[in-house]
Amino acid sequence: MSQEIGVTGLAVMGANLARNLARHGCRVVVHNRTRARTDALLAAHGDEGEFVATGSVHEFVAALQRPRRVVVMVQAGAPTDAVVEELMAVLEAGDVLVDGGNARYTDTIRRTAACAEKGVHFVGAGISGGEEGALLGPSIMPGGSAEAYALVGPLLESIAAVVDGTPCCTHVDGDGAGHFVKMVHNGIEYADMQLIAEAYDLLRLRLGMSPAEIGEVFAGWNEGDLDSYLIEITAEVLRHVDADTGRPFVDVVLDQAEQKGTGRWTVQSALDLGVPVSGIAEAVFARALSGHAEQRAAARGVLPGPAAPPEPVGDRDGFVEAVRQALYASKVVAYAQGFDQIAAGAQAHGWNVDRAALATIWRGGCIIRARFLDRIRQAFTDDPGLTTLLVHPYFRDAVAQCQEGWRTVVVEAVRAGVPAPGFASALAYYDGLRAERLPAALVQGLRDLFGAHTYRRVDREGSFHTLWSEDRSERPVG
Ligand code: NBP
């Protein structure tokens, strides 16, 4: 395989990916709509490897040997369509076009089909790790055909993060599979961050700890089961002091969380698939609530909280440990839900997604990298058809050990009027899964009464309808 690739789109991600490729001995032909970015890249980093700067798209494509390998790193949506269209006018059958942006997976399915008409392989590759990951080793989730992966996979694997000698890059499966799993990865990231934020809030409001003290707690947690990139950077952010005011950094940041869209896409897809990703949904809605400044201003000081001021928490160390348990258990639920969505998406689209392989490539490079992904990898390796992570013996026992603290924290949050939607909904999901009977039976009864929607019985096969407005006798239906 020739060690050559083209990269178009040289903003932060594309430039760093190009540098990563060049540092790994690849000849990198670079291009950007605005030439100044190309020149800036070469001026600053041209000595890191072999770069070939090009001006026009024609020049860019002509500088590559066939079959050409081209990575597109531009803004998702219309810009990606514009770039793909421009490239498709010059690329030829057998060439490979890799979209490393955060494309919506349905767009990737459409682009893959359109490129295939001309014999060009389209690879929608999820890339996680931000700008640092792009430079030093991201986690890469390429979709597309096996034939296309054979052409670009080894190159992508060579620049990915490496954990225990294994590159954090694997062929996920056909057309949109790569971008689908990247979307769910980002959804899990939303849930993870929301849970971390709730843990911080409870320690601050119920124990009166300072951000720096809570930073120390997170640093300590990072030594154990919670060891992860997000926990590590939480400690860093909480310890940070604003240079202008001398106040904790978190206290000078406006408390309105923004979003770029992948969390929302994950929830929209989960709704279509019928998968209860309540942890991700709560995280998306919590960000939305934080941004509803008008409603918050109207309610602040107007809506009463608990009648009596909450009593101080007596056992400080015990409460810190309970919050750790709530965080760990809720995190397992969020990951379990995300992996359920991946299984459901794969089934709906006819992809064969190996969840153990995904957990393997999420152990490094990406934002959700965490020690416990190794446990998830092991769980799906033990049982590739595992119905839910929560019933694997390791996670069943680990969550069971956290259960008491988890429940204490949710009760305390409710009692004190501190919002903890992630912890509470994760616990409700857990209790919902393990319930002997759910009140869904009553929902079915109501649906049958007002809409003749029918129901199934616990003691007989088939569907039934009760003649509610007549003699209330029961009829088999269909
Ligand atoms: P941006 O998402 O900010 O996009 C800027 C790039 O898109 C520039 O190269 C710009 O060219 C190009 N571009 C645009 Br905008 N419209 C174009 C058009 N019509 N034709 C040609 N080029 C066009 O860059 P980024 O933050 O480096 O991210 C690149 C991709 O990677 C995105 O899809 C992003 O979602 C994804 N991603 C980002 C991160 C991250 O941490 N930032 C992480 C993972 C994935 P110009 O210079 O001429 O304006």
Side-chain angles (χ1 to χ4, degrees):
M1 189 193 76
S2 86
Q3 291 290 302
E4 179 193 78
I5 201 160
V7 177
T8 181
L10 301 175
V12 58
M13 288 296 287
N16 280 358
L17 213 61
R19 290 173 62 196
N20 189 350
L21 285 155
R23 288 174 176 193
H24 281 85
C26 192
R27 174 178 181 265
V28 190
V29 179
V30 287
H31 168 264
N32 191 69
R33 176 180 63 174
T34 308
R35 174 71 195 230
R37 276 198 208 272
T38 314
D39 294 339
L41 170 65
L42 265 83
H45 306 289
D47 59 352
E48 291 179 8
E50 188 182 355
F51 292 101
V52 179
T54 60
S56 69
V57 168
H58 273 90
E59 199 190 330
F60 173 60
V61 170
L64 290 161
Q65 285 174 11
R66 293 178 65 187
R68 303 177 185 91
R69 300 167 179 87
V70 173
V71 176
V72 178
M73 284 304 285
V74 301
Q75 214 173 79
T80 301
D81 273 326
V83 172
V84 169
E85 192 181 327
E86 227 182 332
L87 283 166
M88 284 304 291
V90 257
L91 290 175
E92 294 168 274
D95 292 343
V96 191
L97 193 49
V98 180
D99 174 16
N102 262 340
R104 199 165 183 159
Y105 80 95
T106 44
D107 286 342
T108 301
I109 293 174
R110 169 177 57 79
R111 289 175 188 137
T112 307
C115 291
E117 282 179 20
K118 204 180 155 182
V120 172
H121 304 286
F122 190 86
V123 173
I127 299 184
S128 177
E131 52 186 284
E132 191 181 284
L135 181 64
L136 302 176
S139 174
I140 311 180
M141 300 149 243
S145 66
E147 203 183 341
Y149 192 77
L151 290 166
V152 291
L155 213 47
L156 297 177
E157 287 175 18
S158 75
I159 60 157
V162 177
V163 175
D164 297 341
T166 306
C168 295
C169 172
T170 192
H171 182 220
V172 181
D173 203 12
D175 54 27
H179 277 135
F180 182 85
V181 301
K182 171 61 166 48
M183 174 189 76
V184 178
H185 162 286
N186 283 26
I188 292 172
E189 181 184 312
Y190 271 60
D192 214 338
M193 289 167 68
Q194 173 63 23
L195 297 170
I196 285 172
E198 290 178 18
Y200 150 76
D201 208 30
L202 281 157
L203 293 178
R204 186 132 194 217
L205 296 178
R206 298 305 296 128
L207 294 181
M209 295 172 78
S210 70
E213 286 171 327
I214 302 171
E216 294 307 318
V217 168
F218 272 87
W221 288 350
N222 203 39
E223 305 292 314
D225 279 348
L226 280 169
D227 174 1
S228 65
Y229 172 68
L230 283 171
I231 295 284
E232 179 192 326
I233 64 169
T234 300
E236 192 178 335
V237 171
L238 288 174
R239 286 162 166 167
H240 185 56
V241 173
D242 176 53
D244 283 350
T245 60
R247 294 169 61 195
F249 169 74
V250 277
D251 287 351
V252 299
V253 176
L254 190 69
D255 60 345
Q256 296 180 16
E258 295 174 10
Q259 38 190 324
K260 281 192 173 169
T262 40
R264 189 173 60 239
W265 293 349
T266 311
V267 178
Q268 286 169 340
S269 149
L271 290 173
D272 289 341
L273 292 165
V275 183
V277 291
S278 49
I280 301 170
E282 290 296 352
V284 172
F285 286 134
R287 289 198 197 186
L289 186 150
S290 77
H292 275 215
E294 268 188 48
Q295 288 89 336
R296 289 177 62 194
R300 199 176 295 123
V302 173
L303 300 185
E311 281 171 26
V313 175
D315 176 4
R316 179 184 155 120
D317 290 349
F319 191 67
V320 170
E321 172 57 13
V323 171
R324 188 197 67 78
Q325 293 181 3
L327 180 54
Y328 184 83
S330 304
K331 187 169 157 145
V332 174
V333 167
Y335 279 68
Q337 293 177 341
F339 275 97
D340 280 358
Q341 180 170 0
I342 286 168
Q347 194 180 23
H349 292 282
W351 300 319
N352 181 19
V353 178
D354 177 348
R355 290 175 292 175
L358 263 193
T360 303
I361 65 160
W362 287 350
R363 291 180 307 167
C366 66
I367 305 295
I368 64 170
R369 60 185 182 263
R371 183 198 286 191
F372 98 142
L373 274 159
D374 220 21
R375 299 287 188 184
I376 297 179
R377 179 191 61 79
Q378 192 57 55
F380 286 122
T381 303
D382 291 347
D383 180 0
L386 190 62
T387 323
T388 164
L389 262 188
L390 287 162
V391 299
H392 183 272
Y394 176 82
F395 287 107
R396 179 198 63 203
D397 295 347
V399 171
Q401 281 165 18
C402 290
Q403 197 183 161
E404 205 181 315
W406 192 10
R407 292 187 189 281
T408 302
V409 166
V410 171
V411 168
E412 179 58 26
V414 172
R415 204 175 60 82
V418 177
F423 289 165
S425 87
L427 184 54
Y429 176 85
Y430 177 82
D431 283 334
L433 277 192
R434 59 174 205 87
E436 195 64 46
R437 290 271 297 160
L438 286 170
L442 176 57
V443 173
Q444 283 298 80
L446 297 172
R447 293 177 70 243
D448 190 60
L449 189 151
F450 70 70
H453 291 305
T454 76
Y455 51 87
R456 286 173 292 152
R457 295 182 56 100
V458 295
D459 53 358
R460 263 175 276 153
E461 288 294 314
S463 292
F464 300 88
H465 169 57
T466 290
L467 301 173
W468 295 98
S469 53
E470 298 174 28
D471 62 356
R472 303 206 165 194
S473 61
E474 185 177 74
R475 298 275 185 274
V477 181

